[in-house]
Amino acid sequence: MSLNKKDIIEILKSSDDELFRKADEVRKEYKGDFVHLRGLIEFTNICRCNCFYCGLRAENKELERYRLSEDEILNCVKNAVNMGYKTVVLQGGEDKYYTRDKICNLIEKIKNYDVAVTLSIGERSFEDYKAFKASGADRYLLRIETTDKELYKQLHPNMDFEHRKKCLYELKELGYETGTGCIVGLPNQSIEALADDILFFKELDADMVGVGPLIPHPNTPLANAKKDNFNLALRVMAVIRLILKDINIPATTAMETLHPNGRIIALKSGANVVMPNMTDTKYRAKYEIYPDKICINESPDKCAICIKSKIESIGRKISTSKGFRKDNY
Ligand code: 5AD
Ligand code: SF4
Ligand code: FES
C-alpha cells in the first residue's frame, strides 16, 4: 500500500477500528501466525545519557545502579535457550564500562549457544558496530525516538539527531537486521511528526520497528506529561504494518504497562514479536525506564509460561525459527 503523509495523518487522526483489522490481515499474509519470542536481558542500568523521558537517565540519582556479571549474563542465555527462545537481546544503558572488546567477548560466548544475538546498547562508533558484527551479532535496536528535530533536541541533551540517524544507516550498511522505533505521546509531538517517523522507518527500510506509548516517569523532567497514549501508539504501530508489510514488529512491554491486555491487543493489530524479560527478578525493579513496568516481581520461567499461554490462547503459534525478516515460520 502506498500511503503518503496526508493519508497517514488522516488514518492516525481517525478513530476507525478498521485499521487494526487491516493490519492484522497484512500480518497474517506476510508473517503467518507465528510469534517470535526474544529473551530480553537488561544487563546494565548505567547510562551516560539524559533523555528527558527515561528513568535510567544519568541525572536520576534516586535509582540504584547495577551491572550483571558475565556469568549472570550467560546464565540468562542458558535459561533463554532452555525456554526455547531463539534470540537473546542484550539491552542496556549507554554504559562506558562496556568497551568494544568486552562486548565482542560477550557476543562470542553467547554465540556458542546457537541463538541470534540482538544488541541494544545505543550509539557507538562505526568501528565498534563493525567489530560486534564480526563477533557474531545479528541485529541491533536503536530507536530514533522522534524525527521531529526540534523535539529531539529538547529531549536529548548533548545528543545529535543527525548522528543517531547516521548510526542507523551504518548498522544497515554493516548488514545488521536493524530495528528502530519511536515513543508516542511526547509533549508537543504532533500527528504530523508521527507520520514523519513512519516515513523515516520506510526510508531506512527498517527490519524491525518498536513503538511504545510514553509512560511519564516521576524522577524525570517529563513527570507531568500526559499518560493516555495507548490508542495512538497502537494506531502508529498498525500503520507501520500496512507500509512495511514483512518486517518484525514487537508488541511492546510499554503497551502492556498502560493496558492490562496490551500485548495481545497489539498482536491482533499487526505485531508478530514479543520480548519476554529474562532478567533475574532481583534486578528487574531497577531497570525502571518508566514506572509500573510489568513483571517486576515475576521470574523468567513464569514470564515464559505466561506469555506462551496468552499467545496460544488467541490461536497463534510460537515460532521455532530465529525469526529473521525473511523467515516465515
Ligand atoms: N516511556 C516509554 N518508553 C520509554 N523509553 C524510555 N523511557 C520511556 C518512557 N518513560 C523507551 C525508549 C528507549 C526504550 C528502551 O525505552 O524509546 O529506546
Ligand atoms: Fe539512557 Fe536509553 Fe534511557 Fe536514554 S533512553 S537515558 S540512552 S537508557
Ligand atoms: Fe511476565 Fe506475564 S509475561 S508474568
Side-chain angles (χ1 to χ4, degrees):
M1 193 178 307
S2 122
L3 296 172
N4 62 27
K5 185 165 170 181
K6 194 167 145 278
D7 303 328
I8 297 172
I9 292 170
E10 194 176 315
I11 300 174
L12 292 181
K13 282 187 172 163
S14 109
S15 54
D16 187 352
D17 284 353
E18 185 65 10
L19 164 66
F20 304 124
R21 209 192 44 74
K22 276 194 204 146
D24 195 44
E25 227 169 59
V26 174
R27 182 275 307 159
K28 194 173 169 74
E29 184 184 343
Y30 285 80
K31 306 307 289 177
D33 281 336
F34 294 98
V35 174
H36 304 289
L37 298 178
R38 324 288 201 197
L40 181 66
I41 306 174
E42 297 160 334
F43 73 107
T44 171
N45 72 350
I46 298 172
C47 189
R48 66 186 175 89
C49 301
N50 265 305
C51 306
F52 267 35
Y53 38 80
C54 179
L56 306 193
R57 65 201 307 272
E59 279 174 24
N60 179 12
K61 307 290 185 208
E62 306 287 303
L63 184 68
E64 209 181 299
R65 306 285 168 164
Y66 73 88
R67 246 178 222 133
L68 300 194
S69 69
E70 185 179 296
D71 281 351
E72 286 176 308
I73 296 172
L74 293 175
N75 266 326
C76 287
V77 175
K78 280 181 224 165
N79 265 334
V81 170
N82 288 336
M83 286 163 200
Y85 301 166
K86 307 291 179 197
T87 295
V88 295
V89 181
L90 276 186
Q91 183 169 88
E94 294 211 3
D95 181 353
K96 285 217 188 86
Y97 170 84
Y98 288 99
T99 57
R100 183 189 302 169
D101 284 354
K102 284 203 175 80
I103 296 289
C104 286
N105 179 41
L106 208 50
I107 297 167
E108 280 155 26
K109 291 196 167 135
I110 296 174
K111 287 306 279 188
N112 291 328
Y113 293 91
D114 187 32
V115 283
V117 172
T118 304
L119 296 177
S120 178
I121 56 173
E123 296 179 31
R124 308 279 300 218
S125 68
F126 182 81
E127 290 307 315
D128 281 4
Y129 288 153
K130 196 172 162 185
F132 302 158
K133 190 80 184 43
S135 291
D138 300 277
R139 311 194 181 105
Y140 206 104
L141 301 177
L142 184 71
R143 287 188 178 176
I144 193 76
E145 314 292 5
T146 177
T147 56
D148 178 330
K149 287 185 193 176
E150 200 38 54
L151 188 57
Y152 189 92
K153 205 168 153 185
Q154 285 169 23
L155 299 177
H156 302 97
N158 304 315
M159 289 172 82
D160 175 48
F161 176 75
E162 292 304 327
H163 185 260
R164 199 164 185 86
K165 213 160 115 175
K166 181 163 158 267
C167 287
L168 282 164
Y169 280 95
E170 287 175 353
L171 291 163
K172 264 286 198 189
E173 179 191 332
L174 286 164
Y176 283 93
E177 279 211 332
T178 305
T180 187
C182 61
I183 303 183
V184 175
L186 295 165
N188 301 317
Q189 185 181 41
S190 63
I191 296 288
E192 287 72 16
L194 290 168
D196 284 333
D197 292 353
I198 296 171
L199 292 171
F200 169 72
F201 305 149
K202 182 181 175 189
E203 178 195 297
L204 175 70
D205 190 27
D207 302 297
M208 312 173 278
V209 177
V211 172
L214 175 75
I215 304 168
H217 189 299
N219 299 336
T220 66
L222 299 194
N224 299 318
K226 69 175 173 59
K227 212 183 158 185
D228 59 339
N229 304 309
F230 178 80
N231 278 304
L232 187 55
L234 196 69
R235 294 191 82 78
V236 171
M237 186 203 78
V239 174
I240 293 166
R241 173 61 75 203
L242 299 186
I243 295 176
L244 286 154
K245 297 180 164 55
D246 65 336
I247 68 167
N248 285 317
I249 299 182
T252 56
T253 306
M255 288 195 180
E256 186 105 350
T257 301
L258 285 192
H259 190 298
N261 206 23
R263 288 176 301 179
I264 291 298
I265 295 171
L267 285 173
K268 290 169 141 182
S269 311
N272 70 318
V273 169
V274 177
M275 297 167 69
N277 196 333
M278 286 304 305
T279 313
D280 196 282
T281 317
K282 74 174 181 219
Y283 296 114
R284 287 190 180 194
K286 294 184 185 141
Y287 204 82
E288 197 189 46
I289 294 177
Y290 45 75
D292 305 318
K293 216 170 135 212
I294 57 161
C295 308
I296 285 296
N297 299 312
E298 323 299 333
S299 65
D301 295 44
K302 183 151 181 223
C303 289
I305 295 164
C306 162
I307 197 65
K308 284 179 189 172
S309 87
K310 284 187 185 182
I311 290 167
E312 281 162 0
S313 78
I314 56 165
R316 304 277 279 275
K317 302 185 218 37
I318 308 296
S319 165
T320 53
S321 81
K322 291 195 173 111
F324 288 101
R325 182 176 182 177
K326 62 171 175 25
D327 292 339
N328 54 5
Y329 64 99

